[in-house]
Short mmCIF file of all heavy atoms in Angstrom, two decimals:
data_model
loop_
_atom_site.label_atom_id
_atom_site.label_comp_id
_atom_site.label_asym_id
_atom_site.label_seq_id
_atom_site.Cartn_x
_atom_site.Cartn_y
_atom_site.Cartn_z
N ARG D 173 -2.77 26.68 -6.29
CA ARG D 173 -1.59 25.81 -6.48
C ARG D 173 -0.39 26.60 -6.97
O ARG D 173 0.75 26.29 -6.62
CB ARG D 173 -1.89 24.73 -7.53
CG ARG D 173 -2.66 23.54 -7.04
CD ARG D 173 -2.59 22.38 -8.02
NE ARG D 173 -2.78 22.77 -9.40
CZ ARG D 173 -1.94 22.44 -10.38
NH1 ARG D 173 -0.85 21.77 -10.14
NH2 ARG D 173 -2.20 22.81 -11.63
N ASN D 352 4.37 21.30 12.73
CA ASN D 352 3.43 21.28 11.65
C ASN D 352 3.64 20.17 10.62
O ASN D 352 2.83 20.06 9.67
CB ASN D 352 3.43 22.61 10.91
CG ASN D 352 4.80 22.97 10.32
OD1 ASN D 352 5.86 22.79 10.94
ND2 ASN D 352 4.79 23.52 9.12
N GLY D 353 4.66 19.34 10.74
CA GLY D 353 4.83 18.20 9.86
C GLY D 353 3.88 17.08 10.21
O GLY D 353 3.42 16.98 11.36
N HIS D 354 3.60 16.20 9.24
CA HIS D 354 2.65 15.12 9.52
C HIS D 354 3.34 13.79 9.79
O HIS D 354 2.75 12.72 9.59
CB HIS D 354 1.57 15.02 8.45
CG HIS D 354 2.01 14.53 7.10
ND1 HIS D 354 1.11 14.16 6.12
CD2 HIS D 354 3.24 14.35 6.54
CE1 HIS D 354 1.75 13.79 5.04
NE2 HIS D 354 3.04 13.88 5.27
N GLY D 355 4.56 13.84 10.31
CA GLY D 355 5.22 12.62 10.76
C GLY D 355 4.44 11.93 11.87
O GLY D 355 4.53 10.71 12.04
N THR D 357 1.52 11.23 11.79
CA THR D 357 0.63 10.26 11.15
C THR D 357 1.22 8.86 11.19
O THR D 357 0.51 7.88 11.43
CB THR D 357 0.36 10.67 9.68
OG1 THR D 357 0.03 12.05 9.62
CG2 THR D 357 -0.75 9.85 9.07
N VAL D 358 2.53 8.75 10.97
CA VAL D 358 3.21 7.46 11.03
C VAL D 358 3.10 6.89 12.43
O VAL D 358 2.78 5.70 12.61
CB VAL D 358 4.71 7.61 10.65
CG1 VAL D 358 5.41 6.26 10.69
CG2 VAL D 358 4.87 8.27 9.30
N ALA D 361 -0.42 5.68 13.24
CA ALA D 361 -0.72 4.42 12.55
C ALA D 361 -0.03 3.25 13.22
O ALA D 361 -0.61 2.16 13.38
CB ALA D 361 -0.32 4.52 11.08
N ILE D 384 -3.78 -0.66 5.85
CA ILE D 384 -4.47 0.42 5.14
C ILE D 384 -5.46 1.11 6.07
O ILE D 384 -5.53 2.34 6.14
CB ILE D 384 -5.20 -0.11 3.89
CG1 ILE D 384 -4.18 -0.54 2.82
CG2 ILE D 384 -6.14 0.96 3.31
CD1 ILE D 384 -4.80 -1.29 1.65
N MET D 387 -3.70 3.35 8.57
CA MET D 387 -3.24 4.58 7.95
C MET D 387 -4.40 5.53 7.67
O MET D 387 -4.27 6.75 7.86
CB MET D 387 -2.48 4.25 6.66
CG MET D 387 -1.86 5.46 5.97
SD MET D 387 -0.76 6.43 7.03
CE MET D 387 0.51 5.23 7.42
N LYS D 388 -5.52 5.01 7.23
CA LYS D 388 -6.70 5.85 6.97
C LYS D 388 -7.13 6.58 8.24
O LYS D 388 -7.42 7.79 8.22
CB LYS D 388 -7.84 5.00 6.42
CG LYS D 388 -7.65 4.57 4.97
CD LYS D 388 -8.52 3.37 4.61
CE LYS D 388 -9.99 3.65 4.64
NZ LYS D 388 -10.78 2.50 4.12
N ALA D 390 -5.31 7.21 10.94
CA ALA D 390 -4.29 8.17 11.34
C ALA D 390 -4.36 9.44 10.49
O ALA D 390 -4.26 10.57 11.01
CB ALA D 390 -2.90 7.54 11.24
N PHE D 391 -4.55 9.27 9.19
CA PHE D 391 -4.66 10.42 8.29
C PHE D 391 -5.90 11.26 8.60
O PHE D 391 -5.88 12.49 8.52
CB PHE D 391 -4.71 9.96 6.83
CG PHE D 391 -3.43 10.17 6.08
CD1 PHE D 391 -2.86 9.13 5.36
CD2 PHE D 391 -2.80 11.41 6.07
CE1 PHE D 391 -1.68 9.32 4.66
CE2 PHE D 391 -1.63 11.60 5.37
CZ PHE D 391 -1.06 10.56 4.66
N ALA D 392 -6.99 10.61 8.93
CA ALA D 392 -8.22 11.35 9.25
C ALA D 392 -7.96 12.34 10.38
O ALA D 392 -8.42 13.49 10.34
CB ALA D 392 -9.33 10.38 9.63
N ASP D 393 -7.20 11.91 11.38
CA ASP D 393 -6.89 12.79 12.50
C ASP D 393 -5.85 13.85 12.13
O ASP D 393 -6.00 15.03 12.46
CB ASP D 393 -6.40 11.98 13.69
CG ASP D 393 -7.53 11.26 14.41
OD1 ASP D 393 -8.69 11.68 14.27
OD2 ASP D 393 -7.24 10.28 15.12
N SER D 394 -4.78 13.44 11.45
CA SER D 394 -3.72 14.41 11.16
C SER D 394 -4.21 15.49 10.20
O SER D 394 -3.87 16.67 10.34
CB SER D 394 -2.48 13.71 10.59
OG SER D 394 -2.72 13.12 9.34
N LYS D 395 -5.07 15.10 9.24
CA LYS D 395 -5.58 16.10 8.30
C LYS D 395 -6.52 17.09 8.99
O LYS D 395 -6.68 18.23 8.53
CB LYS D 395 -6.30 15.41 7.13
CG LYS D 395 -5.34 14.80 6.12
CD LYS D 395 -6.08 14.29 4.90
CE LYS D 395 -5.14 13.83 3.82
NZ LYS D 395 -5.85 13.42 2.58
N LYS D 396 -7.13 16.68 10.07
CA LYS D 396 -8.02 17.58 10.80
C LYS D 396 -7.26 18.47 11.78
O LYS D 396 -7.56 19.66 11.92
CB LYS D 396 -9.08 16.78 11.56
CG LYS D 396 -10.04 17.66 12.36
CD LYS D 396 -11.17 16.87 12.99
CE LYS D 396 -12.10 17.80 13.78
NZ LYS D 396 -13.25 17.06 14.36
N TYR D 397 -6.29 17.91 12.47
CA TYR D 397 -5.68 18.62 13.59
C TYR D 397 -4.29 19.20 13.34
O TYR D 397 -3.88 20.13 14.03
CB TYR D 397 -5.61 17.69 14.81
CG TYR D 397 -6.96 17.23 15.28
CD1 TYR D 397 -7.31 15.87 15.24
CD2 TYR D 397 -7.90 18.13 15.79
CE1 TYR D 397 -8.55 15.44 15.69
CE2 TYR D 397 -9.14 17.70 16.23
CZ TYR D 397 -9.46 16.35 16.18
OH TYR D 397 -10.69 15.93 16.62
N VAL D 398 -3.51 18.63 12.40
CA VAL D 398 -2.12 19.06 12.25
C VAL D 398 -2.02 20.40 11.54
O VAL D 398 -2.60 20.62 10.48
CB VAL D 398 -1.28 18.00 11.50
CG1 VAL D 398 0.08 18.56 11.10
CG2 VAL D 398 -1.10 16.76 12.38
N THR D 399 -1.29 21.29 12.15
CA THR D 399 -0.96 22.60 11.58
C THR D 399 0.20 23.13 12.41
O THR D 399 0.92 22.35 13.06
CB THR D 399 -2.20 23.54 11.62
OG1 THR D 399 -1.88 24.75 10.93
CG2 THR D 399 -2.65 23.84 13.03
N GLY D 440 2.37 13.13 8.22
CA GLY D 440 2.63 13.70 7.44
C GLY D 440 3.40 14.17 6.20
O GLY D 440 4.36 13.89 5.16
N THR D 441 9.02 15.91 -3.08
CA THR D 441 10.08 16.12 -2.09
C THR D 441 11.35 15.29 -2.42
O THR D 441 11.20 14.24 -2.98
CB THR D 441 9.44 15.65 -0.76
OG1 THR D 441 8.24 16.41 -0.57
CG2 THR D 441 10.34 15.69 0.36
N ILE D 457 15.17 16.06 4.74
CA ILE D 457 14.23 16.10 3.63
C ILE D 457 13.93 17.55 3.28
O ILE D 457 13.88 18.42 4.14
CB ILE D 457 12.93 15.34 4.01
CG1 ILE D 457 12.11 14.98 2.77
CG2 ILE D 457 12.12 16.09 5.05
CD1 ILE D 457 11.13 13.85 3.00
N SER D 459 11.86 20.20 0.06
CA SER D 459 10.83 20.09 -0.96
C SER D 459 10.37 21.44 -1.47
O SER D 459 10.38 22.44 -0.74
CB SER D 459 9.63 19.34 -0.36
OG SER D 459 8.53 19.34 -1.23
N TYR D 461 7.31 21.17 -2.74
CA TYR D 461 5.96 20.60 -2.65
C TYR D 461 5.55 20.00 -3.99
O TYR D 461 5.81 18.84 -4.24
CB TYR D 461 4.94 21.61 -2.14
CG TYR D 461 3.60 20.99 -1.83
CD1 TYR D 461 3.51 19.70 -1.33
CD2 TYR D 461 2.42 21.68 -2.02
CE1 TYR D 461 2.29 19.11 -1.04
CE2 TYR D 461 1.18 21.10 -1.73
CZ TYR D 461 1.13 19.82 -1.25
OH TYR D 461 -0.09 19.24 -0.97
N MET D 462 4.92 20.74 -4.91
CA MET D 462 4.45 20.17 -6.16
C MET D 462 5.46 20.44 -7.27
O MET D 462 5.50 21.54 -7.84
CB MET D 462 3.09 20.74 -6.54
CG MET D 462 1.98 20.42 -5.55
SD MET D 462 0.43 21.21 -6.04
CE MET D 462 -0.63 20.72 -4.67
N ASN D 479 5.23 26.06 -3.33
CA ASN D 479 3.80 26.37 -3.20
C ASN D 479 3.21 25.72 -1.95
O ASN D 479 2.09 25.20 -1.94
CB ASN D 479 3.03 25.95 -4.45
CG ASN D 479 3.10 24.46 -4.73
OD1 ASN D 479 4.00 23.76 -4.26
ND2 ASN D 479 2.16 23.96 -5.52
N ARG D 480 3.97 25.75 -0.87
CA ARG D 480 3.55 25.09 0.36
C ARG D 480 2.28 25.70 0.95
O ARG D 480 1.52 25.05 1.66
CB ARG D 480 4.68 25.15 1.38
CG ARG D 480 4.46 24.33 2.62
CD ARG D 480 4.19 22.87 2.34
NE ARG D 480 5.29 22.16 1.73
CZ ARG D 480 5.28 20.86 1.49
NH1 ARG D 480 4.22 20.14 1.79
NH2 ARG D 480 6.32 20.28 0.91
N GLY D 481 2.00 26.99 0.63
CA GLY D 481 0.77 27.61 1.12
C GLY D 481 -0.48 26.94 0.61
O GLY D 481 -1.57 27.11 1.20
N ASN D 482 -0.35 26.13 -0.46
CA ASN D 482 -1.50 25.39 -0.98
C ASN D 482 -2.11 24.46 0.05
O ASN D 482 -3.29 24.11 -0.03
CB ASN D 482 -1.07 24.59 -2.22
CG ASN D 482 -2.16 23.68 -2.75
OD1 ASN D 482 -2.16 22.49 -2.49
ND2 ASN D 482 -3.10 24.25 -3.49
N ASN D 483 -1.33 24.07 1.06
CA ASN D 483 -1.82 23.14 2.07
C ASN D 483 -2.68 23.79 3.13
O ASN D 483 -3.30 23.10 3.95
CB ASN D 483 -0.65 22.42 2.75
CG ASN D 483 -0.35 21.08 2.09
OD1 ASN D 483 -1.14 20.58 1.31
ND2 ASN D 483 0.80 20.52 2.41
N PHE D 484 -2.73 25.12 3.19
CA PHE D 484 -3.62 25.79 4.13
C PHE D 484 -5.08 25.53 3.76
O PHE D 484 -5.41 25.25 2.61
CB PHE D 484 -3.38 27.30 4.11
CG PHE D 484 -2.28 27.78 5.02
CD1 PHE D 484 -1.23 28.52 4.51
CD2 PHE D 484 -2.31 27.51 6.38
CE1 PHE D 484 -0.22 28.99 5.33
CE2 PHE D 484 -1.30 27.97 7.21
CZ PHE D 484 -0.25 28.72 6.69
N SER D 485 -5.94 25.66 4.72
CA SER D 485 -7.39 25.57 4.51
C SER D 485 -7.98 26.98 4.47
O SER D 485 -7.43 27.91 5.07
CB SER D 485 -8.04 24.77 5.65
OG SER D 485 -9.46 24.83 5.57
N HIS D 490 -11.35 25.39 10.61
CA HIS D 490 -10.34 24.34 10.55
C HIS D 490 -9.07 24.77 11.28
O HIS D 490 -8.67 25.93 11.21
CB HIS D 490 -10.02 24.02 9.08
CG HIS D 490 -9.36 22.69 8.87
ND1 HIS D 490 -8.05 22.44 9.23
CD2 HIS D 490 -9.84 21.52 8.36
CE1 HIS D 490 -7.74 21.20 8.93
NE2 HIS D 490 -8.80 20.62 8.41
N ASN D 492 -6.17 24.28 10.50
CA ASN D 492 -5.14 24.66 9.52
C ASN D 492 -5.57 25.84 8.64
O ASN D 492 -5.05 26.03 7.55
CB ASN D 492 -4.80 23.43 8.66
CG ASN D 492 -3.55 23.64 7.83
OD1 ASN D 492 -2.55 24.17 8.29
ND2 ASN D 492 -3.60 23.22 6.57
N PRO D 500 1.89 26.12 7.75
CA PRO D 500 0.84 25.22 7.29
C PRO D 500 1.14 23.75 7.61
O PRO D 500 2.28 23.39 7.92
CB PRO D 500 0.84 25.43 5.77
CG PRO D 500 2.27 25.76 5.46
CD PRO D 500 2.76 26.56 6.64
N TYR D 501 0.10 22.93 7.56
CA TYR D 501 0.28 21.46 7.54
C TYR D 501 1.33 21.13 6.51
O TYR D 501 1.30 21.62 5.38
CB TYR D 501 -1.06 20.84 7.15
CG TYR D 501 -1.10 19.32 7.02
CD1 TYR D 501 -1.79 18.56 7.94
CD2 TYR D 501 -0.50 18.67 5.95
CE1 TYR D 501 -1.87 17.17 7.81
CE2 TYR D 501 -0.56 17.29 5.81
CZ TYR D 501 -1.24 16.54 6.74
OH TYR D 501 -1.31 15.18 6.62
N HIS D 502 2.28 20.28 6.90
CA HIS D 502 3.44 20.03 6.05
C HIS D 502 3.61 18.53 5.79
O HIS D 502 3.49 17.73 6.72
CB HIS D 502 4.70 20.57 6.71
CG HIS D 502 5.58 21.33 5.78
ND1 HIS D 502 6.31 20.74 4.78
CD2 HIS D 502 5.86 22.65 5.69
CE1 HIS D 502 7.01 21.66 4.14
NE2 HIS D 502 6.74 22.83 4.66
N THR D 503 3.94 18.17 4.54
CA THR D 503 4.00 16.75 4.18
C THR D 503 5.39 16.13 4.26
O THR D 503 5.51 14.91 4.17
CB THR D 503 3.46 16.53 2.75
OG1 THR D 503 4.26 17.28 1.83
CG2 THR D 503 2.01 16.94 2.64
N ILE D 504 6.46 16.93 4.41
CA ILE D 504 7.80 16.33 4.37
C ILE D 504 8.22 15.86 5.77
O ILE D 504 8.11 16.58 6.75
CB ILE D 504 8.85 17.28 3.75
CG1 ILE D 504 8.99 18.58 4.53
CG2 ILE D 504 8.48 17.56 2.31
CD1 ILE D 504 10.09 19.49 3.99
N ILE D 505 8.71 14.62 5.85
CA ILE D 505 8.97 14.01 7.17
C ILE D 505 10.22 13.12 7.14
O ILE D 505 10.19 12.02 6.63
CB ILE D 505 7.75 13.21 7.65
CG1 ILE D 505 7.26 12.21 6.58
CG2 ILE D 505 6.61 14.12 8.03
CD1 ILE D 505 6.19 11.25 7.11
N VAL D 521 10.90 8.36 3.24
CA VAL D 521 10.25 8.06 1.96
C VAL D 521 9.60 9.34 1.48
O VAL D 521 8.70 9.87 2.15
CB VAL D 521 9.19 6.95 2.09
CG1 VAL D 521 8.56 6.66 0.72
CG2 VAL D 521 9.80 5.67 2.67
N MET D 522 10.04 9.87 0.34
CA MET D 522 9.47 11.13 -0.15
C MET D 522 8.21 10.87 -0.97
O MET D 522 7.93 9.75 -1.38
CB MET D 522 10.52 11.86 -0.99
CG MET D 522 11.03 11.08 -2.18
SD MET D 522 12.34 11.94 -3.03
CE MET D 522 13.61 10.69 -3.08
N GLY D 523 7.44 11.94 -1.20
CA GLY D 523 6.26 11.79 -2.03
C GLY D 523 4.97 12.30 -1.42
O GLY D 523 3.99 11.56 -1.30
N ALA D 524 4.95 13.57 -0.96
CA ALA D 524 3.74 14.23 -0.49
C ALA D 524 2.98 13.34 0.50
O ALA D 524 3.53 12.88 1.49
CB ALA D 524 2.86 14.65 -1.67
N PHE D 525 1.69 13.05 0.21
CA PHE D 525 0.88 12.29 1.16
C PHE D 525 1.19 10.80 1.14
O PHE D 525 0.64 10.03 1.94
CB PHE D 525 -0.61 12.55 0.88
CG PHE D 525 -1.03 13.95 1.24
CD1 PHE D 525 -1.02 14.96 0.29
CD2 PHE D 525 -1.39 14.27 2.54
CE1 PHE D 525 -1.38 16.25 0.62
CE2 PHE D 525 -1.74 15.56 2.89
CZ PHE D 525 -1.74 16.56 1.92
N MET D 526 2.10 10.38 0.27
CA MET D 526 2.58 9.00 0.31
C MET D 526 3.64 8.83 1.40
O MET D 526 3.91 7.71 1.83
CB MET D 526 3.17 8.61 -1.06
CG MET D 526 3.73 7.20 -1.15
SD MET D 526 2.48 5.91 -0.81
CE MET D 526 3.51 4.45 -0.65
N GLN D 527 4.22 9.92 1.88
CA GLN D 527 5.34 9.81 2.80
C GLN D 527 5.03 9.02 4.07
O GLN D 527 5.76 8.08 4.41
CB GLN D 527 5.89 11.20 3.14
CG GLN D 527 6.58 11.85 1.95
CD GLN D 527 7.35 13.09 2.33
OE1 GLN D 527 7.99 13.14 3.37
NE2 GLN D 527 7.31 14.10 1.47
N PRO D 528 3.98 9.35 4.82
CA PRO D 528 3.69 8.53 6.00
C PRO D 528 3.37 7.08 5.64
O PRO D 528 3.74 6.16 6.38
CB PRO D 528 2.46 9.22 6.63
CG PRO D 528 2.48 10.59 6.09
CD PRO D 528 3.05 10.48 4.70
N GLN D 529 2.71 6.89 4.51
CA GLN D 529 2.35 5.54 4.09
C GLN D 529 3.59 4.74 3.71
O GLN D 529 3.71 3.56 4.04
CB GLN D 529 1.38 5.61 2.91
CG GLN D 529 0.15 6.45 3.21
CD GLN D 529 -0.90 6.37 2.13
OE1 GLN D 529 -1.45 5.30 1.88
NE2 GLN D 529 -1.21 7.49 1.49
N GLY D 530 4.53 5.40 3.03
CA GLY D 530 5.77 4.73 2.68
C GLY D 530 6.60 4.41 3.90
O GLY D 530 7.15 3.30 4.03
N GLN D 531 6.71 5.36 4.83
CA GLN D 531 7.46 5.11 6.06
C GLN D 531 6.83 3.96 6.85
O GLN D 531 7.54 3.08 7.36
CB GLN D 531 7.48 6.37 6.93
CG GLN D 531 8.47 7.42 6.49
CD GLN D 531 8.77 8.41 7.60
OE1 GLN D 531 8.43 8.19 8.77
NE2 GLN D 531 9.39 9.52 7.25
N PHE D 532 5.52 3.98 6.97
CA PHE D 532 4.79 2.95 7.70
C PHE D 532 5.09 1.56 7.14
O PHE D 532 5.37 0.61 7.89
CB PHE D 532 3.30 3.28 7.59
CG PHE D 532 2.36 2.37 8.33
CD1 PHE D 532 2.49 2.16 9.70
CD2 PHE D 532 1.31 1.75 7.67
CE1 PHE D 532 1.59 1.34 10.38
CE2 PHE D 532 0.42 0.94 8.34
CZ PHE D 532 0.57 0.73 9.70
N GLN D 533 5.09 1.44 5.82
CA GLN D 533 5.34 0.14 5.18
C GLN D 533 6.81 -0.27 5.31
O GLN D 533 7.12 -1.44 5.58
CB GLN D 533 4.92 0.20 3.72
CG GLN D 533 3.41 0.32 3.56
CD GLN D 533 2.96 0.59 2.14
OE1 GLN D 533 3.02 -0.29 1.29
NE2 GLN D 533 2.50 1.81 1.87
N ARG D 553 4.33 -1.90 -2.80
CA ARG D 553 3.65 -0.96 -1.91
C ARG D 553 2.19 -0.74 -2.31
O ARG D 553 1.80 -0.95 -3.45
CB ARG D 553 4.36 0.40 -1.90
CG ARG D 553 5.72 0.37 -1.25
CD ARG D 553 6.34 1.75 -1.16
NE ARG D 553 7.73 1.62 -0.73
CZ ARG D 553 8.72 2.39 -1.13
NH1 ARG D 553 8.48 3.39 -1.96
NH2 ARG D 553 9.94 2.20 -0.69
N TRP D 554 1.43 -0.27 -1.34
CA TRP D 554 0.07 0.21 -1.55
C TRP D 554 0.01 1.68 -1.16
O TRP D 554 0.88 2.18 -0.44
CB TRP D 554 -0.92 -0.60 -0.72
CG TRP D 554 -0.54 -0.74 0.73
CD1 TRP D 554 0.13 -1.78 1.31
CD2 TRP D 554 -0.77 0.23 1.78
NE1 TRP D 554 0.33 -1.54 2.65
CE2 TRP D 554 -0.22 -0.31 2.97
CE3 TRP D 554 -1.38 1.46 1.84
CZ2 TRP D 554 -0.25 0.34 4.19
CZ3 TRP D 554 -1.43 2.13 3.05
CH2 TRP D 554 -0.87 1.59 4.21
N GLN D 555 -1.03 2.35 -1.62
CA GLN D 555 -1.24 3.74 -1.23
C GLN D 555 -2.74 4.02 -1.11
O GLN D 555 -3.49 3.76 -2.06
CB GLN D 555 -0.62 4.71 -2.27
CG GLN D 555 -0.85 6.17 -1.91
CD GLN D 555 -0.16 7.14 -2.86
OE1 GLN D 555 -0.13 8.34 -2.61
NE2 GLN D 555 0.39 6.63 -3.95
N TRP D 556 -3.15 4.51 0.05
CA TRP D 556 -4.52 4.98 0.21
C TRP D 556 -4.64 6.34 -0.45
O TRP D 556 -3.83 7.24 -0.19
CB TRP D 556 -4.90 5.06 1.69
CG TRP D 556 -6.26 5.66 1.90
CD1 TRP D 556 -7.45 5.18 1.45
CD2 TRP D 556 -6.56 6.87 2.61
NE1 TRP D 556 -8.48 6.01 1.83
CE2 TRP D 556 -7.95 7.06 2.54
CE3 TRP D 556 -5.78 7.81 3.29
CZ2 TRP D 556 -8.59 8.15 3.14
CZ3 TRP D 556 -6.42 8.89 3.88
CH2 TRP D 556 -7.80 9.06 3.80
N ILE D 557 -5.63 6.50 -1.31
CA ILE D 557 -5.82 7.75 -2.04
C ILE D 557 -6.86 8.63 -1.36
O ILE D 557 -6.60 9.77 -0.98
CB ILE D 557 -6.22 7.49 -3.51
CG1 ILE D 557 -5.19 6.57 -4.19
CG2 ILE D 557 -6.36 8.81 -4.27
CD1 ILE D 557 -3.78 7.09 -4.22
N ASP D 558 -8.06 8.09 -1.18
CA ASP D 558 -9.16 8.83 -0.55
C ASP D 558 -10.34 7.88 -0.41
O ASP D 558 -10.52 6.98 -1.23
CB ASP D 558 -9.55 10.04 -1.41
CG ASP D 558 -10.51 10.98 -0.70
OD1 ASP D 558 -10.54 10.94 0.54
OD2 ASP D 558 -11.22 11.75 -1.37
N SER D 561 -10.72 4.34 -1.94
CA SER D 561 -9.81 4.19 -3.08
C SER D 561 -8.37 3.94 -2.65
O SER D 561 -7.79 4.71 -1.87
CB SER D 561 -9.89 5.44 -3.96
OG SER D 561 -8.97 5.36 -5.02
N GLU D 563 -4.39 2.31 -4.26
CA GLU D 563 -3.58 1.83 -5.38
C GLU D 563 -2.60 0.80 -4.86
O GLU D 563 -2.07 0.95 -3.74
CB GLU D 563 -2.83 2.98 -6.04
CG GLU D 563 -3.71 3.98 -6.76
CD GLU D 563 -2.95 5.11 -7.41
OE1 GLU D 563 -1.71 5.22 -7.18
OE2 GLU D 563 -3.57 5.89 -8.16
N ILE D 590 6.35 5.86 -9.83
CA ILE D 590 7.04 7.09 -9.42
C ILE D 590 6.30 7.81 -8.30
O ILE D 590 6.90 8.54 -7.50
CB ILE D 590 7.25 8.03 -10.63
CG1 ILE D 590 8.33 9.08 -10.30
CG2 ILE D 590 5.94 8.67 -11.07
CD1 ILE D 590 8.81 9.85 -11.50
N ASN D 591 4.98 7.58 -8.20
CA ASN D 591 4.20 8.23 -7.15
C ASN D 591 3.96 7.33 -5.94
O ASN D 591 3.15 7.67 -5.06
CB ASN D 591 2.85 8.70 -7.71
CG ASN D 591 3.01 9.81 -8.72
OD1 ASN D 591 3.82 10.73 -8.54
ND2 ASN D 591 2.26 9.74 -9.82
N MET D 592 4.67 6.21 -5.88
CA MET D 592 4.47 5.28 -4.77
C MET D 592 5.56 5.42 -3.71
O MET D 592 5.77 4.52 -2.90
CB MET D 592 4.43 3.84 -5.29
CG MET D 592 3.27 3.56 -6.23
SD MET D 592 1.64 3.77 -5.46
CE MET D 592 1.51 2.27 -4.50
N GLY D 593 6.23 6.58 -3.69
CA GLY D 593 7.23 6.84 -2.67
C GLY D 593 8.63 6.48 -3.13
O GLY D 593 8.83 5.52 -3.87
N ARG D 594 9.58 7.29 -2.69
CA ARG D 594 10.99 7.09 -3.07
C ARG D 594 11.83 7.25 -1.82
O ARG D 594 11.98 8.36 -1.31
CB ARG D 594 11.39 8.09 -4.15
CG ARG D 594 10.70 7.82 -5.50
CD ARG D 594 10.77 9.02 -6.42
NE ARG D 594 9.80 10.04 -6.04
CZ ARG D 594 9.84 11.30 -6.46
NH1 ARG D 594 10.83 11.71 -7.22
NH2 ARG D 594 8.91 12.16 -6.09
#
Side-chain angles (χ1 to χ4, degrees):
R173 279 195 316 128
N352 59 319
H354 70 168
T357 312
V358 181
I384 291 170
M387 184 55 62
K388 286 160 65 173
F391 256 129
D393 284 339
S394 65
K395 284 187 173 184
K396 179 174 180 178
Y397 298 116
V398 169
T399 186
T441 304
I457 198 160
S459 173
Y461 189 34
M462 297 177 182
N479 61 339
R480 189 56 65 176
N482 174 260
N483 265 347
F484 274 124
S485 171
H490 198 288
N492 192 43
Y501 178 110
H502 225 289
T503 60
I504 60 176
I505 52 171
V521 181
M522 59 185 127
F525 290 93
M526 179 60 191
Q527 291 191 39
Q529 305 188 63
Q531 282 199 13
F532 183 57
Q533 292 171 72
R553 291 184 189 145
W554 49 264
Q555 179 176 188
W556 174 61
I557 305 301
D558 190 22
S561 176
E563 293 180 351
I590 198 168
N591 293 319
M592 297 298 283
R594 291 163 282 164

